[in-house]
Amino acid sequence: MNSPARPSRLVVSALALGLLLVTPRLLAQAPGPVTTPEKFFGFQMGADRKMARWDRMVAYYQQLARESGRVKVVDMGPSTEGNPFLLVVISSPANLAKLDRLRQVNLRISDPRGLAEAEVKKLVAEGKAVVCQSMSLHATEIGGTQMAAELAFDLLSRQDEETLRILDNVVFLMVPCFNPDGENIVHDWYQKTLGTEFEGSGPPVLYQKYTGHDNNRDAFMTNMVESRYMAKILFTDWIPQAYVDHHHMGSYGARIYVPPYADPVRPMADPLIWREHSWYGAHIAYKEEEAGLSGVLNMAQYSGWGHFGFHWITPFHNIAGMLTESASAKIATPMFILPDQLQGGARNLPAYEEQTTFPNPWPGGWWRLRDIVDRQKVSAWATLDLAARNKETVLWNAYLKAKRQTERGAAGKPAAYVIPAGQHDPLTATKLVAKLLVQGVEIRTAEKPFVGQNGVSYSAGAFLVPMAQPKMGLVRYLLGRTFYPDNTYTRDRDGTPIRPYDMATDTMAEFMGVRVDPVDQVPQGEFRKFDAVRSVGKVEKGVAGYVIDGRENDAFKAVNLLLDKGLALRRADKAAPGVNPGDFIVSAGAPEAALSSVATDIGVDFKALAAEPKSGTHGVKRLRVGMYQRYWGGNMDEGWTRFLLEQFAFPYTTLMDADIKKGGLETRFDVIILPDDSTAMITGERPPAGQGGRGGPSPDSYPLEYRSGIGADGVAALKAFAQKGGTIVALGGASTFAIERFGLPVRNVVAGRPAKEFFCPGSTLHAKFDTTNPLAYGMPAEGLVVFMGGSLAFEIQPTDFNERYQIIASYPERDLLQSGWLIGEEFLAKKAAMVSAKLGDGRVVLVGHRTQHRAQTHGTFKLLFNALLGRN
Ligand SMILES: [Zn+2]
């Protein structure tokens, strides 16, 4: 009789030989021959002056998928410019065969509400550690994408115990290129300049169509399709336990930074997160030293409170979100560095000398792409190795983090945030809710009216975001007032504030101008889970036609689409029955089908207009809009503004230097936008190499045709354009250019102030808007603006013609700060944020705050949009 519990004699002898446990597994996983990167690409990854293009990389991953059972290649969809965005899943063939089950197990552990501990333990035993790593988000930082092909090959071809342990215990979600378009742009530029004196320079244009380097500032707003793919992988489909984003940094410090972050950290993540960063970081750094790789730095340079980019937002998704930063070479060209050029001076690295977190300084010499690939590959491998060796701990801690954050949210204050239905701009509030859903935040909607804190009543359709959910920390920062720390971690020894990595707050609700009420108790009422936003507007015909609410940003999109269809529109300047200043009026004769299609597509309502206002309206005229674009790596503010105009269907023309210099602009344009920039970048009057200037590469690092600048001719042409009736909209720093070069009697009151006196890095400030001025139509009387380092505030200098200047937005007398960090509010108090200045027959609109910042500040988009519509 065969007893299944008793091994047969044959098996016992095999066991005695020590073969049984190893051989069948090796046979099961024995891979066929896998093509090496060298063979496929014709060079070793990271070889001097060699860079693989993204289309070849895609072909390589597809080939690996045909050759190996250890990989699954998922095409997430097209990038902004139509290149495939890949997710490469690497694990054992057995795991890949049940991948969706493993994903479900992982999601359940990541939100364990309602599970008994015994059930969690079963899931932990069944599940696999999930680790995500992404490469070369910043496209000139090519090490990650080049390294990834070799990392994949190693994982698919190696047969040693360490590799098999990783494959058995980890589902590795590799995003081999976060920015496929940029990879091609950088590759093509590198090939074009190879062998010339410009070899190794960055491309002269943005390396993502709209965002360039800002693409990692998009993780919480997810404006870009690449961000949405990444959000789907990280925030809703998988929720991995660890995430590493591989970057490059400057060339003259440590060779590679690895986790953990330095202080300060952003509070409210589960404490295990910060311990996990140290845990992974120690293993990574240890493995780098074991491999004899020098120049490894950790717990320094990058602080735990950064912008809400992917590696800094993930801790609030209960994911150990981490970063590596390698010293840059010149794209794929080696760079020589003299020993005394190596410097400390970064956070927690005061001098370029040995210290516990930097025990093996690199001595200088040639620095090659291969050196970067070596270090990044060890860091990527070590992350997988640690997760594989500690699979059950990693999964159990994922459960603990989610459970404890939910409990913390339930016990703390506020207990929830309410997003009321009656908003100044309801469609924008809906967009906020949609963006929260992309983050995987749980939202409820009220079926019936309810009463909240202090007797405040809310109507049906209000949204409720409870803090008793695993992502409570994320909810807290996107919706709640935030103060950046001001302490010894954030100030130099002499008291000078240290610039935060980017913004000092990421309060999405404030940026979007959406009212969100924190409440200390979860309101009682009838709520249901809300999981999809679908706004369809209503079309109600009145005797006198229709009204579109001018307070809605999407009213402008509706107007643009209707102008495209040749419809005539009017805009109200005065209140009348059923009409507010700034509202748009469509005549009764307009084809209803056209209105219905707009209402369906974008959600705006066309309300019935009973009687046409007798006076106080004007015809809406489409204006010819031009926007200046430069080289020198491109201007991110220009890219974002271009994106924003396209989102709201504003037609525009990109103006390069020659278009401006040739003059006669008034015959071709009505409005010219100058995106945020320095005067030197706009004019092209760049300081010589090595003599600084505000950012940007030295003038001689680009071929002549890319050394852009409008020059004196361009300045004269712009000034003539305004004097002959044109409107120039000068955004942010371009206001300084306009003030100086057009001789406007306007002073930037914060210019040149030492940081100890005045400092406001990426904060939301209270402002007042003159809603009687057409430039502020549709704005609330009071609201919030985003102010960044480099933003301006204005004072009009007394002249005999003060009537030529209008203040559109200004700061109140006190209590300016809503979120972020503000030192020296007295310098801003009562000063102007936005000014319109007459110049001849035209005008210059100076916008000191960031009114369309990264297409994130929905609350102030209208201050730009209003300048882009004319009157008949
Ligand atoms: Zn980077």
Side-chain angles (χ1 to χ4, degrees):
M1 209 175 90
N2 281 334
S3 158
R6 285 187 137 235
S8 71
R9 183 171 302 207
L10 184 68
V11 173
V12 171
S13 65
L15 268 177
L17 291 168
L19 292 173
L20 181 71
L21 292 176
V22 179
T23 315
R25 190 174 65 168
L26 278 182
L27 284 175
Q29 293 191 341
V34 178
T35 305
T36 65
E38 287 92 327
K39 182 156 182 244
F40 189 87
F41 296 104
F43 52 85
Q44 186 196 35
M45 305 320 290
D48 288 356
R49 297 185 168 78
K50 298 289 183 189
M51 180 182 175
R53 201 174 191 270
W54 180 237
D55 46 0
R56 291 293 293 151
M57 297 255 183
V58 172
Y60 183 61
Y61 291 112
Q62 285 164 343
Q63 175 142 340
L64 293 183
R66 286 191 295 272
E67 293 174 345
S68 170
R70 297 177 178 179
V71 62
K72 190 168 180 266
V73 177
V74 181
D75 185 348
M76 299 293 292
S79 66
T80 299
E81 298 195 83
N83 293 296
F85 188 103
L86 297 190
L87 169 65
V88 175
V89 187
I90 298 175
S91 196
S92 70
N95 289 342
L96 291 181
K98 55 178 178 183
L99 196 60
D100 201 56
R101 170 65 192 165
L102 293 175
R103 189 175 71 82
Q104 299 294 348
V105 168
N106 196 70
L107 285 180
R108 199 68 188 91
I109 292 171
S110 304
D111 187 354
R113 282 177 286 177
L115 280 181
E117 206 170 280
E119 293 172 283
V120 177
K121 283 185 175 155
K122 272 193 219 159
L123 292 173
V124 166
E126 184 189 352
K128 304 293 173 185
V130 181
V131 175
C132 181
Q133 305 196 47
S134 55
M135 314 299 171
S136 304
L137 165 83
H138 294 144
T140 49
E141 303 170 10
I142 66 168
T145 287
Q146 304 299 305
M147 173 272 284
E150 194 174 295
L151 177 67
F153 172 76
D154 286 0
L155 285 163
L156 268 45
S157 61
R158 277 173 56 172
Q159 288 295 92
D160 52 281
E161 193 185 340
E162 186 171 293
T163 306
L164 296 178
R165 182 168 50 231
I166 290 172
L167 295 169
D168 282 345
N169 291 291
V170 177
V171 172
F172 177 26
L173 308 174
M174 184 169 84
V175 177
C177 183
F178 197 127
N179 179 2
D181 303 344
E183 221 270 341
N184 287 345
I185 291 168
V186 171
H187 172 274
D188 295 351
W189 175 254
Y190 185 69
Q191 291 306 125
K192 184 180 169 177
T193 53
L194 200 60
T196 73
E197 60 184 304
F198 308 110
E199 173 179 327
S201 64
V205 296
L206 293 175
Y207 53 60
Q208 198 275 357
K209 185 177 178 184
Y210 301 112
T211 67
H213 196 84
D214 260 356
N215 54 355
N216 66 335
R217 272 60 168 177
D218 190 41
F220 68 106
M221 283 280 186
T222 55
N223 275 318
M224 294 297 124
V225 67
E226 293 86 355
S227 304
R228 292 195 291 276
Y229 295 143
M230 203 64 202
K232 184 165 157 53
I233 295 165
L234 288 171
F235 305 153
T236 53
D237 276 6
W238 280 97
I239 314 185
Q241 283 78 53
Y243 167 61
V244 187
D245 198 21
H246 295 280
H247 287 250
H248 291 195
M249 57 185 175
S251 304
Y252 296 99
R255 295 300 92 191
I256 186 171
Y257 152 84
V258 302
Y261 299 107
D263 286 295
V265 301
R266 193 194 280 250
M268 300 288 283
D270 186 88
L272 274 170
I273 285 287
W274 306 107
R275 300 300 186 186
E276 285 176 326
H277 291 168
S278 294
W279 193 40
Y280 284 103
H283 195 61
I284 293 168
Y286 187 86
K287 286 289 175 185
E288 300 271 9
E289 302 298 346
E290 189 182 82
L293 296 167
S294 60
V296 179
L297 172 71
N298 65 349
M299 205 190 247
Q301 200 149 339
Y302 298 90
S303 69
W305 187 314
H307 57 73
F308 258 168
F310 283 93
H311 61 89
W312 268 315
I313 201 171
T314 31
F316 301 91
H317 289 268
N318 300 320
I319 300 166
M322 299 173 281
L323 173 75
T324 77
E325 291 271 2
S326 299
S328 299
K330 297 187 288 186
I331 311 291
T333 298
M335 181 172 183
F336 191 79
I337 295 174
L338 300 166
D340 67 354
Q341 290 177 322
L342 290 161
Q343 287 177 356
R347 205 184 282 270
N348 283 6
L349 183 68
Y352 192 85
E353 287 168 7
E354 286 171 50
Q355 59 178 44
T356 55
T357 55
F358 187 58
N360 186 12
W362 180 72
W366 282 104
W367 180 246
R368 310 186 124 80
L369 179 58
R370 184 65 218 182
D371 297 319
I372 297 168
V373 167
D374 283 339
R375 284 165 179 77
Q376 287 194 355
K377 197 169 85 168
V378 169
S379 65
W381 188 277
T383 306
L384 299 171
D385 183 51
L386 188 85
R389 288 174 192 270
N390 301 280
K391 180 211 82 158
E392 301 220 351
T393 305
V394 162
L395 285 176
W396 182 254
N397 287 348
Y399 156 70
L400 283 182
K401 285 181 284 185
K403 173 176 173 277
R404 299 198 305 208
Q405 287 292 86
T406 305
E407 289 165 357
R408 187 182 190 180
K413 285 180 183 174
Y417 291 92
V418 179
I419 306 171
Q423 295 275 346
H424 183 80
D425 177 354
L427 282 174
T428 296
T430 307
K431 289 178 189 173
L432 169 72
V433 170
K435 288 173 188 299
L436 291 172
L437 290 176
V438 171
Q439 298 290 324
V441 168
E442 184 181 299
I443 299 169
R444 292 175 210 156
T445 184
E447 307 261 49
K448 291 191 176 157
F450 64 96
V451 177
Q453 198 163 299
N454 303 325
V456 179
S457 34
Y458 296 95
S459 51
F463 296 101
L464 177 71
V465 189
M467 286 290 271
Q469 60 176 306
K471 300 188 184 192
M472 60 80 74
L474 182 71
V475 173
R476 167 66 189 76
Y477 287 110
L478 295 180
L479 301 185
R481 204 174 176 191
T482 302
F483 298 103
Y484 191 82
D486 184 349
N487 58 35
T488 52
Y489 285 127
T490 59
R491 295 226 188 204
D492 282 335
R493 283 182 187 192
D494 71 353
T496 304
I498 300 170
R499 194 175 67 86
Y501 198 83
D502 186 69
M503 307 290 285
T505 186
D506 301 281
T507 26
M508 181 152 75
E510 294 172 4
F511 293 3
M512 296 182 79
V514 176
R515 180 184 144 198
V516 177
D517 299 345
V519 290
D520 287 345
Q521 281 184 335
V522 179
Q524 298 302 302
E526 281 183 44
F527 297 93
R528 67 177 164 83
K529 194 172 175 216
F530 185 80
D531 47 23
V533 171
R534 176 86 183 100
S535 306
V536 176
K538 290 192 285 285
V539 181
E540 297 166 350
K541 188 170 180 179
V543 176
Y546 314 82
V547 179
I548 311 171
D549 192 330
R551 294 175 301 176
E552 291 181 334
N553 289 342
D554 282 309
F556 290 85
K557 184 168 187 178
V559 164
N560 283 324
L561 294 176
L562 295 174
L563 290 174
D564 287 347
K565 294 175 196 277
L567 268 66
L569 292 145
R570 300 193 70 75
R571 195 168 193 196
D573 294 300
K574 279 197 274 181
V579 177
N580 290 310
D583 286 352
F584 296 94
I585 297 166
V586 185
S587 70
E592 213 164 321
L595 308 189
S596 289
S597 92
V598 169
T600 304
D601 288 352
I602 62 178
V604 291
D605 290 331
F606 290 81
K607 288 178 197 144
L609 179 63
E612 197 173 332
K614 289 192 183 65
S615 65
T617 68
H618 65 267
V620 175
K621 183 180 160 195
R622 165 156 281 165
L623 297 182
R624 299 164 299 170
V625 177
M627 183 159 59
Y628 177 57
Q629 186 180 107
R630 64 154 162 92
Y631 292 118
W632 305 108
N635 176 356
M636 292 179 281
D637 195 56
E638 181 274 330
W640 282 116
T641 308
R642 192 157 27 87
F643 172 77
L644 183 66
L645 297 184
E646 290 175 16
Q647 291 301 299
F648 285 88
F650 279 103
Y652 66 89
T653 304
T654 290
L655 300 177
M656 304 305 288
D657 293 333
D659 302 316
I660 291 184
K661 284 179 179 178
K662 73 180 172 196
L665 291 163
E666 63 283 357
T667 63
R668 291 175 285 146
F669 298 99
D670 303 301
V671 184
I672 292 177
I673 301 172
L674 300 177
D676 174 57
D677 218 341
S678 68
T679 300
M681 280 291 190
I682 296 169
T683 60
E685 298 155 1
R686 308 293 314 286
Q691 292 187 18
R694 182 183 142 185
S698 66
D700 51 5
S701 61
Y702 283 108
L704 206 56
E705 65 265 36
Y706 295 109
R707 296 178 196 173
S708 63
I710 61 171
D713 294 353
V715 175
L718 285 174
K719 190 170 179 182
F721 165 73
Q723 284 171 328
K724 291 175 183 170
T727 293
I728 291 176
V729 180
L731 298 171
S735 297
T736 298
F737 162 82
I739 291 167
E740 288 174 357
R741 297 305 166 100
F742 305 153
L744 303 175
V746 179
R747 190 171 75 91
N748 171 16
V749 296
V750 297
R753 297 243 173 246
K756 271 199 264 189
E757 276 183 27
F758 178 78
F759 195 62
C760 188
S763 305
T764 47
L765 304 182
H766 289 267
K768 299 187 286 188
F769 305 104
D770 177 5
T771 58
T772 64
N773 190 303
L775 285 170
Y777 276 177
M779 292 295 292
E782 292 178 12
L784 298 169
V785 298
V786 165
F787 195 102
M788 289 194 65
S791 287
L792 304 84
F794 306 115
E795 190 175 74
I796 316 292
Q797 305 292 85
T799 66
D800 291 345
F801 303 99
N802 297 321
E803 69 279 8
R804 291 178 181 168
Y805 305 92
Q806 297 172 335
I807 292 168
I808 315 300
S810 59
Y811 295 104
E813 192 170 352
R814 63 178 69 226
D815 301 328
L816 269 60
L817 184 69
Q818 175 66 15
S819 287
W821 193 6
L822 172 60
I823 299 169
E825 80 165 16
E826 63 273 24
F827 294 107
L828 291 182
K830 301 204 282 187
K831 295 294 188 278
M834 179 172 167
V835 165
S836 177
K838 275 195 179 148
L839 187 64
D841 293 337
R843 59 179 176 169
V844 181
V845 179
L846 307 170
V847 187
H849 65 281
R850 301 294 297 249
T851 214
Q852 58 1 315
H853 182 58
R854 293 175 183 155
Q856 296 177 346
T857 51
H858 294 242
T860 50
F861 286 168
K862 282 186 286 285
L863 296 174
L864 173 62
F865 293 168
N866 280 322
L868 308 183
L869 288 183
R871 46 178 65 217
N872 272 325

